[in-house]
Amino acid sequence: MTGRVAVLGVGTSHFGRQPEHDLVTLAHAAVTEALADAGDTRIDAVWAGTVFGPPGVTQRVLRACGITGIPVITVENACASGTTAFVEAHEAIRTGRYGRVLALGLEHMSSAFSGAITPEPTDPEQRSGLALPALYAMGAARYLHDGLVTAEQLAAVSVKNHAHALHNPRAQYSGRYTVAEVLGSRMIADPLTVLQCCPTSDGAAAAVLGAAGPEPAVTVRGIALRSGAPWDDRSPHVWGHDVVRDTAADALAAAGLDSVHDLDVVEVHDAFTIGEIVTTEALGIAAPGDGGRLAADGSTALGGVLPVNPSGGLLSRGHPLGATGLAQVAEIVWQLRGLANGRQVDGARLGLVETMGGGVSVLDGNACAVAVLEAP
Amino acid sequence: MTGRVAVLGVGTSHFGRQPEHDLVTLAHAAVTEALADAGDTRIDAVWAGTVFGPPGVTQRVLRACGITGIPVITVENACASGTTAFVEAHEAIRTGRYGRVLALGLEHMSSAFSGAITPEPTDPEQRSGLALPALYAMGAARYLHDGLVTAEQLAAVSVKNHAHALHNPRAQYSGRYTVAEVLGSRMIADPLTVLQCCPTSDGAAAAVLGAAGPEPAVTVRGIALRSGAPWDDRSPHVWGHDVVRDTAADALAAAGLDSVHDLDVVEVHDAFTIGEIVTTEALGIAAPGDGGRLAADGSTALGGVLPVNPSGGLLSRGHPLGATGLAQVAEIVWQLRGLANGRQVDGARLGLVETMGGGVSVLDGNACAVAVLEAP
C-alpha cells in the first residue's frame, strides 16, 4: 500500500433510453465533465467498463474525446463492469503504475436489444427462463414466503427511489408513486411489477483518479472486488446476498471501519426492489429480515438515518450496465462534496458504492465491487 | 518493482475452425494443461482476454474448470486481448496484489461469424471498406510501390510459417507451399492472397503466473503495453509500425536489453504476411525495407539467425483473437524450456512475444503488448 487514491473529478451523461444519442456522444459528455471537474486534462491510462459495447468501442469514444496514444483496457464484469474499471484504475494509482487514470463506464442498451436483455444462445440457464428478472423474482418470492418482507415493503423501495430521483435532473425516471400504484403496475416476473424493475438505459459515467495530494479531494478509503462464485445452494441466503456481504466486509476492513453505521450515504445495486432489500441486509445496514421495514419507514430515505440510493438508484436513475458503477461513484462524490442539491445528505462524510453483477449466465458466478469514499 | 514474475505453467487447446467444440471445452483444455504444468491448482485471480466472447463467458468456462469464488476480470483489447490479460496478470503478481494468477485467452470465431469478421454497424470506416484485410493490403501495396518488399518476399512469409507449423501438432494449418502457390492462391485483398491471411479460428490458451522463487522457471524480463494511438498520418510508416516500435522499445528497456539481436526466438503478430515484415522492421530485427529479404533468405526461419514464428504464427497456427497472445506466450515458454520438439530453437534463452490489435474500428487506435521472457 502506497498513498491514498483521490477521485479528482467525475462526470456523467444524462441517463435514459436515448437511441438518438450514440455512445460517442454519451461518453463525450461524461468524460469532458470529469476532466473539467478534475481541472486537468492529463490522463496516463484508461480503464473502461461495458457489457454489450462492441469491440474497440472504448478507443472509438476516446478518440472523439481527444484521448489517444495511451494504454486503454476495456473490462467486462457484468453489471459490475464500471465499478471493476474503477477498482482497476484505483489499483493503478495505488501502486504508482500510472499518475492519472480515467475510469469510464458506458452502455447503449437500446441499440443492443429491442427490449429486455436477450439470453445468449450458449447460456442454457437463461434460455430456460432464469433471466435476471426471474432470478430476482425467485429471491423476492422466497422472502415473501419466509415472512422476511411484505409486498408493500418491496414496493416501498420503488416509491422511495422514484421520489429521490425527483431531485436528480439526470435520472431516467422519477415520480411520486404510491405503494398501491407500484403493486398495481404491469407484472414482469411475479411478484416484481414493472415499477420494481430497472429500465433499459443508455448512458456513460466517468471518474478521474490520481494520488491524493495536499489539495482537498474525495479519497478512496477502502475498496474490494470479488467475483466468480456461482450460486451456492448450501447457503441459506438468496442469490447475491453472500458475495455482497463478503465483498463489503473486505472493503470495510480496508477502510478501517468497524460498522456500516459510520456511513452517511450509500448507493447500492437496486436492479430490482428486492435487490436493495437484500443488499442492505448483506451490508449490515439492516438486520436480517429488516431491510423491508427500513425502506418502508423512511430510515433509508433522504432525511432518514442512512439514505440509500439518493440518486434514484438503478430503478429510477437508470441502469446502463457498464456505466452504472461509475454513476454510483459520481453520486457519492457529489454527496461528499455537498454538491447534490435537492438530494444532498447533510454533512455526508463517508459514502459507500456497491455494485453486483450476475454475469449473463446468472448461475456462473456473480461479481461484486464495493468502495468506501471519504469527504475532503 | 518488486520481484521477478515467473510463468509457472502454460497450456492451449488445439487451434482450428472447430464449431463442434464450444468455448468451455476449448478453455478447459487450455486451463487444465496450464494448471497441471504449474504443478499446483491454486489460483487467486483470473484475467481473461476475448474480443467476441459473450458477456459472462469467462465465469462460465471457469466454472467448468472448477475455478470459482475468486476475482475474475475479462478484458477486451482487440487482437491484443490475450496479451493484455497477460500484462495485467503480470502486474498483479509484480505488485503483490495476488499470489498466483491465471491469464486466459479464448475465442470462438466460428460461432461469432459465418465468415470474416463482420463490421460493426457503428463503425463507419470498416463499413466503407477499411476492414482489416483491406488495411493490411494498403500497407502491402505501399511497400510494393516503394520498393520495400517484393511480392515473392511477401509470399515467403507464408511459405516459412506454414512450414514451421508442420512441426506444431496444435496448428490449424500447415504445409509445404511454394512462393508460386502462395501468390497463385485466391485473392482476398490485393495484393494479399488467401494463404497470406490468417484464418478464422477457435481456441484457448492459458498461463499461470506467480512470483519467481528458488525453483527454476521461465521469467518475464520486461513487458509493456501501449494502445489508443489512431493512425498518425504524419508518420512515414504504414499502419501498425509505430505502436509496435514504441511498445517494443519500452519492453526491451524494461528487460535491460540493448538489442533485439540478443533474442533467440520471437513470436509476432503475422495476421497477414505484410504484418510480419513490418513487425520485424519495427522491432529492429530487420533494417527498414529489409524485412522481406530476411523472410525469403531463411534468416527468420527455423535454423536461421533469429527464428520468427516457429509455432506457425497467426497465419498457420491460427488466430483465435483473444487467445492468440497467450498462444504466443505458450510457444515462447516451451521454446525456453526446450520442449518445442521438431520446431525447437536450439539453446533458446531469450524470447519475445508481440501482439498488435487494431480495434475493430482500425482507425481508432491500435493496441500493442510486448513481453520479453527468459529461460530458467
Side-chain angles (χ1 to χ4, degrees):
Chain A
M1 174 70 75
T2 54
R4 188 78 81 83
V5 175
V7 184
L8 302 168
V10 293
T12 79
S13 69
H14 183 76
F15 299 103
R17 188 191 288 260
Q18 39 193 341
E20 70 279 17
H21 297 308
D22 64 10
L23 268 181
V24 169
T25 305
L26 297 173
H28 189 274
V31 171
T32 52
E33 184 181 10
L35 292 175
D37 190 26
D40 184 342
T41 59
R42 183 171 66 84
I43 293 293
D44 301 321
V46 179
W47 268 264
T50 186
V51 179
F52 292 104
V57 68
T58 308
Q59 277 86 344
R60 197 172 315 155
V61 305
L62 290 174
R63 177 169 60 146
C65 298
I67 298 175
T68 65
I70 57 172
V72 173
I73 296 179
T74 303
V75 301
E76 185 271 311
N77 212 357
C79 296
S81 295
T83 330
T84 298
F86 185 74
V87 168
E88 293 303 287
H90 173 274
E91 180 71 7
I93 299 294
R94 184 186 75 80
T95 59
R97 183 180 183 186
Y98 298 112
R100 284 172 86 92
V101 174
L102 177 71
L104 173 64
L106 63 169
E107 207 75 53
H108 205 272
M109 298 179 71
S110 68
S111 63
F113 308 105
S114 58
I117 295 175
T118 310
E120 277 296 325
T122 58
D123 182 340
E125 285 113 357
Q126 279 220 42
R127 283 175 62 84
S128 65
L130 262 183
L132 285 157
L135 190 74
Y136 276 98
M138 286 171 66
R142 166 82 175 281
Y143 257 55
L144 288 169
H145 178 268
D146 288 353
L148 298 171
V149 77
T150 67
E152 290 71 23
Q153 288 170 342
L154 280 172
V157 174
S158 174
V159 171
K160 169 178 74 71
N161 290 352
H162 280 87
H164 285 175
L166 289 168
H167 307 287
N168 184 353
R170 303 184 189 201
Q172 181 164 3
Y173 293 113
S174 61
R176 299 197 186 284
Y177 292 100
T178 64
V179 163
E181 285 169 333
V182 171
L183 292 175
S185 65
R186 183 163 59 94
M187 184 61 72
I188 299 295
D190 191 7
L192 301 174
T193 55
V194 68
L195 284 170
Q196 302 189 59
C197 303
C198 60
T200 300
S201 309
D202 307 318
V208 176
L209 290 80
E215 297 293 316
V218 170
T219 55
V220 180
R221 183 154 160 175
I223 195 163
L225 172 72
R226 284 185 175 234
S227 65
W231 198 0
D232 182 355
D233 57 14
R234 295 163 304 182
S235 168
H237 300 118
V238 298
W239 180 79
H241 176 282
D242 291 355
V243 72
V244 174
R245 175 195 63 201
D246 296 343
T247 312
D250 290 348
L252 291 167
L257 290 183
D258 295 328
S259 163
V260 289
H261 301 292
D262 294 335
L263 297 168
D264 301 302
V265 57
V266 305
E267 285 275 317
V268 306
H269 197 80
D270 60 327
F272 300 86
T273 49
I274 182 68
E276 180 172 311
I277 289 171
V278 171
T279 300
T280 52
E281 296 179 5
L283 290 172
I285 291 171
D290 208 31
R293 183 185 65 80
L294 296 192
D297 74 4
S299 298
T300 54
L302 281 166
V305 179
L306 177 48
V308 173
N309 289 325
S311 72
L314 283 59
L315 285 171
S316 308
R317 184 195 58 234
H319 184 24
L321 310 176
T324 286
L326 285 154
Q328 295 174 305
V329 167
E331 175 68 16
I332 293 296
V333 167
W334 288 323
Q335 290 282 352
L336 296 177
R337 290 198 200 141
L339 299 176
N341 299 319
R343 62 187 192 277
Q344 179 66 44
V345 176
D346 287 342
R349 297 284 311 158
L350 279 175
L352 178 143
V353 164
E354 178 272 339
T355 328
M356 198 267 281
V360 166
S361 180
V362 290
L363 298 185
D364 288 332
N366 32 31
C368 187
V370 174
V372 177
L373 305 184
E374 185 162 17
Chain B
M1 174 71 78
T2 56
R4 188 78 79 85
V5 175
V7 184
L8 302 168
V10 293
T12 80
S13 69
H14 183 76
F15 299 103
R17 189 192 287 260
Q18 38 193 341
E20 70 279 17
H21 297 307
D22 64 10
L23 268 182
V24 170
T25 305
L26 297 174
H28 189 273
V31 170
T32 53
E33 183 181 11
L35 292 174
D37 190 25
D40 185 340
T41 58
R42 184 172 65 85
I43 293 293
D44 301 321
V46 179
W47 269 262
T50 187
V51 180
F52 293 103
V57 68
T58 307
Q59 276 86 343
R60 198 173 314 156
V61 304
L62 290 174
R63 176 169 62 146
C65 298
I67 298 175
T68 66
I70 58 171
V72 173
I73 297 179
T74 302
V75 300
E76 184 270 311
N77 212 358
C79 297
S81 295
T83 331
T84 298
F86 185 74
V87 167
E88 293 303 288
H90 173 275
E91 180 69 7
I93 300 293
R94 183 186 76 81
T95 59
R97 183 180 183 186
Y98 298 113
R100 284 172 86 92
V101 175
L102 177 71
L104 172 64
L106 63 168
E107 206 76 52
H108 205 272
M109 297 179 72
S110 68
S111 63
F113 308 104
S114 59
I117 296 175
T118 309
E120 277 295 326
T122 59
D123 183 341
E125 285 113 357
Q126 280 218 44
R127 284 175 62 84
S128 64
L130 263 184
L132 285 158
L135 191 73
Y136 276 99
M138 286 170 66
R142 164 82 177 277
Y143 257 55
L144 289 168
H145 178 269
D146 288 352
L148 298 171
V149 78
T150 67
E152 291 72 22
Q153 288 170 342
L154 280 172
V157 173
S158 174
V159 171
K160 170 178 74 71
N161 291 352
H162 280 87
H164 285 176
L166 287 167
H167 307 287
N168 184 353
R170 302 184 190 201
Q172 181 164 2
Y173 293 113
S174 61
R176 298 198 186 282
Y177 291 101
T178 64
V179 164
E181 284 170 332
V182 171
L183 292 176
S185 66
R186 183 163 58 93
M187 184 61 73
I188 298 297
D190 191 7
L192 300 174
T193 55
V194 68
L195 284 170
Q196 302 188 58
C197 302
C198 60
T200 300
S201 309
D202 307 318
V208 177
L209 289 80
E215 298 293 315
V218 171
T219 55
V220 180
R221 184 154 158 175
I223 196 163
L225 171 71
R226 284 185 176 234
S227 64
W231 199 358
D232 182 353
D233 56 15
R234 296 162 303 182
S235 168
H237 300 118
V238 299
W239 181 79
H241 176 282
D242 292 355
V243 73
V244 174
R245 176 196 61 200
D246 297 342
T247 313
D250 290 349
L252 291 167
L257 291 183
D258 294 329
S259 162
V260 288
H261 301 292
D262 295 336
L263 297 168
D264 300 303
V265 57
V266 304
E267 286 274 318
V268 304
H269 197 79
D270 61 326
F272 300 86
T273 49
I274 183 67
E276 180 172 311
I277 290 172
V278 171
T279 300
T280 52
E281 296 178 7
L283 290 171
I285 291 171
D290 208 32
R293 183 184 66 79
L294 296 191
D297 75 6
S299 297
T300 54
L302 280 166
V305 180
L306 178 47
V308 173
N309 288 327
S311 72
L314 284 60
L315 285 170
S316 308
R317 184 196 58 235
H319 183 26
L321 309 175
T324 285
L326 285 154
Q328 296 173 305
V329 167
E331 175 67 16
I332 294 296
V333 167
W334 288 324
Q335 290 283 351
L336 296 177
R337 291 198 200 143
L339 299 176
N341 299 317
R343 62 187 192 279
Q344 179 66 44
V345 176
D346 287 342
R349 298 284 311 158
L350 278 176
L352 178 142
V353 164
E354 178 271 340
T355 328
M356 198 267 283
V360 166
S361 181
V362 291
L363 299 186
D364 287 333
N366 32 31
C368 188
V370 174
V372 177
L373 306 183
E374 185 162 19

